[in-house]
Amino acid sequence: MSLSSPRRATNTATHHPLLLTSRRRNHLFIAQERSQGVWTTMSSTVGKVIRCKAAVAWEAGKPLVIEEVEVAPPQAMEVRVKIAVTALCHTDVYFWEAKGQTPVFPRIFGHEAAGIVESVGEGVTELKPGDHVLPVFTGECKECRHCKSEESNMCDLLRINTDRGVMLNDGKSRFSINGKPIYHFVGTSTFSEYSVIHVGCLAKINPAAPMDKVCILSCGVSTGLGATLNVAKPPKGSTVAIFGLGAVGLSAAEGARIAGASRIIGVDLNPKRFDEAKKFGVTEFVNPKDHHKPVQEVLAEMTDGGVDRSIECTGSVNAMISAFECVHDGWGVAVLVGVPNKDDAFKTHPMNFLNEKTLKGTFFGNYKPRTDLPNVVEMYMRKELELEKFITHEVCLSEINKAFDYMLKGESLRCIIRMDR
């Protein structure tokens, strides 16, 4: 979040390798790919402005409008992607409502998606037209200290920036309507039939993977799954508590199931979520409103002193404290995933740390987007990871406002949005 202006990029990394223009032009060629059963030839659009449909948010909280937008060709280290399918995440809704954030409008939202590379800008060598990709809201430049570290995925150049509405290369938007710029969202803007994305925010995936399933790996599912598998790392047979049974929490539960946890305890204030959670391996449920003592005490009594691992996925600071204090002394590990309010303060007694309880945080499940997401896709292809149960609704682009309604009413986990209907 180091670039502050949504309309003008404050580029502090002009000499970064991923922003340099290559001296030799990429060889452009005809690429024919089969997407959703339709063969498409993409060579005719290379280097040209593409006119296509996009769902544009003109104002905060107002229904999105399907417009014809102009999508400029990719510049240096950029890729133009034909979006095959996208999905609605709560983060899209949060910034669309613009309650407490910098409002950046008009804007094209969307960041969970899958698509096919249509063309590439100068300097792009890892991708070519026809490749299948997952756009990701955060990136991996592979050159900074974070990218070179095995312990971090927080890229200096391409870390998520929700205020910036332009491309890093020149501080301009690649979207426009009648010459008026339409701003990007977290570098992806997948509620458009075509989008221009920095190469470092695209994970190349197995072309055999069904895009209408793996598209949801671009954000929430990977965040929760990685929080469990990469950070909490529950041993087989362990007891795991999941705070919050939304899409991210259920992804964390899926991770616990894959890891072989013997007990997965779901904690949520909404009892309607309990039946759904059973599909993700949750074995027991606790509603804090049903008890007259702190939920961490309830969990400690249920588990002979505390759970082995806990993952907090709500953003409530009280849930964070409970998730930490409910783990067993000596070996218990709590992982914070939810994003708190900016003025929240985490308070617990220091003895909890001295008693060898461990508190960790995670960003995007500690996955490096370009390096690790292809492997997560392969987990699905090997049937180790189940994605179908996350997808509760499906609409076409012209019906995208229905997806917002489903989420605002709490009726959906993930609603996918098809571009080809």
Side-chain angles (χ1 to χ4, degrees):
M1 301 185 182
S2 59
L3 303 181
S4 58
S5 172
R7 291 164 176 79
R8 183 178 301 166
T10 306
N11 189 355
T12 59
T14 53
H15 299 295
H16 193 285
L18 286 189
L19 292 180
L20 296 178
T21 302
S22 171
R23 290 187 177 181
R24 74 175 189 278
R25 292 186 174 275
N26 289 331
H27 177 63
L28 299 177
F29 57 95
I30 294 176
Q32 289 191 318
E33 263 304 320
R34 190 173 187 178
S35 172
Q36 308 298 323
V38 178
W39 286 91
T40 56
T41 302
M42 294 178 285
S43 63
S44 61
T45 55
V46 171
K48 301 176 183 178
V49 171
I50 290 178
R51 289 176 173 83
C52 68
K53 298 295 183 183
V56 178
W58 290 100
E59 298 179 62
K62 297 295 178 65
L64 275 58
V65 180
I66 304 301
E67 305 277 12
E68 183 177 82
V69 300
E70 296 181 343
V71 185
Q75 302 302 308
M77 305 314 298
E78 297 173 359
V79 178
R80 190 159 59 185
V81 178
K82 177 179 173 59
I83 303 298
V85 62
T86 185
L88 180 66
C89 171
H90 187 267
T91 302
D92 296 308
V93 176
Y94 181 76
F95 285 94
W96 165 73
E97 292 177 322
K99 297 177 180 178
Q101 316 96 31
T102 303
V104 183
F105 295 95
R107 198 172 209 182
I108 297 174
F109 286 99
H111 63 284
E112 286 190 353
I116 301 172
V117 173
E118 175 268 339
S119 61
V120 300
E122 291 187 78
V124 176
T125 58
E126 291 190 19
L127 294 173
K128 64 183 184 301
D131 284 342
H132 288 211
V133 291
L134 297 182
V136 187
F137 65 92
T138 189
E140 181 186 354
C141 73
K142 297 190 176 182
E143 297 291 338
C144 71
R145 293 174 301 166
H146 285 278
C147 288
K148 290 182 177 179
S149 168
E150 294 183 359
E151 299 179 5
S152 176
N153 66 343
M154 303 187 75
C155 177
D156 281 330
L157 179 67
L158 299 170
R159 191 179 306 183
I160 183 174
N161 186 319
T162 58
D163 292 339
R164 186 176 64 239
V166 294
M167 299 300 290
L168 280 171
N169 184 54
D170 59 3
K172 297 179 181 179
S173 174
R174 301 290 176 261
F175 298 107
S176 63
I177 297 178
N178 298 324
K180 178 182 174 62
I182 308 297
Y183 296 107
H184 296 250
F185 178 62
V186 295
T188 52
S189 293
T190 60
F191 292 167
S192 173
E193 292 178 320
Y194 287 86
S195 187
V196 177
I197 300 166
H198 194 286
V199 65
C201 295
L202 291 168
K204 181 180 176 180
I205 64 168
N206 184 344
M211 289 191 282
D212 59 351
K213 304 297 185 297
V214 299
C215 65
I216 63 174
L217 292 174
S218 289
C219 183
V221 171
S222 295
T223 296
L225 183 74
T228 302
L229 296 179
N230 298 335
V231 188
K233 299 178 180 178
K236 187 175 182 179
S238 59
T239 298
V240 179
I242 309 293
F243 285 74
L245 297 177
V248 176
L250 293 176
S251 303
E254 178 76 356
R257 181 192 67 79
I258 293 171
S262 61
R263 298 175 68 184
I264 304 174
I265 305 172
V267 182
D268 202 292
L269 296 171
N270 183 358
K272 294 181 180 179
R273 291 179 165 178
F274 292 166
D275 283 341
E276 185 75 19
K278 293 177 183 177
K279 300 177 185 177
F280 299 83
V282 177
T283 58
E284 301 161 66
F285 306 96
V286 174
N287 185 339
K289 293 190 293 186
D290 293 340
H291 301 273
H292 300 291
K293 61 180 69 174
V295 69
Q296 53 265 47
E297 294 182 14
V298 175
L299 291 168
E301 291 175 0
M302 291 173 60
T303 56
D304 191 23
V307 299
D308 302 306
R309 301 290 188 268
S310 71
I311 299 96
E312 187 285 323
C313 304
T314 71
S316 162
V317 71
N318 290 326
M320 294 178 180
I321 294 169
S322 297
F324 176 52
E325 295 184 352
C326 80
V327 300
H328 206 289
D329 57 7
W331 61 80
V333 177
V335 178
L336 305 185
V337 180
V339 180
N341 294 322
K342 63 179 181 179
D343 297 325
D344 283 341
F346 184 97
K347 298 179 181 179
T348 191
H349 198 283
M351 283 303 299
N352 286 313
F353 295 99
L354 297 177
N355 286 333
E356 299 183 0
K357 296 184 178 185
T358 300
L359 179 65
K360 295 184 176 183
T362 182
F363 171 68
F364 192 49
N366 279 36
Y367 285 122
K368 292 179 183 286
R370 299 163 78 185
T371 300
D372 297 330
L373 279 195
N375 297 326
V376 181
V377 170
E378 293 308 313
M379 288 179 61
Y380 169 76
M381 297 298 285
R382 294 192 300 266
K383 302 186 184 302
E384 298 169 10
L385 170 62
E386 300 171 6
L387 295 178
E388 287 82 358
K389 57 193 177 186
F390 288 95
I391 300 169
T392 55
H393 296 77
E394 178 181 320
V395 298
C396 59
L397 182 62
S398 63
E399 300 173 320
I400 192 170
N401 289 303
K402 288 184 179 180
F404 280 74
D405 291 340
Y406 294 145
M407 182 160 286
L408 289 169
K409 293 176 182 177
E411 296 175 357
S412 67
L413 286 177
R414 278 296 179 270
C415 178
I416 65 168
I417 300 147
R418 293 187 180 275
M419 297 295 184
D420 60 348
R421 293 184 181 177

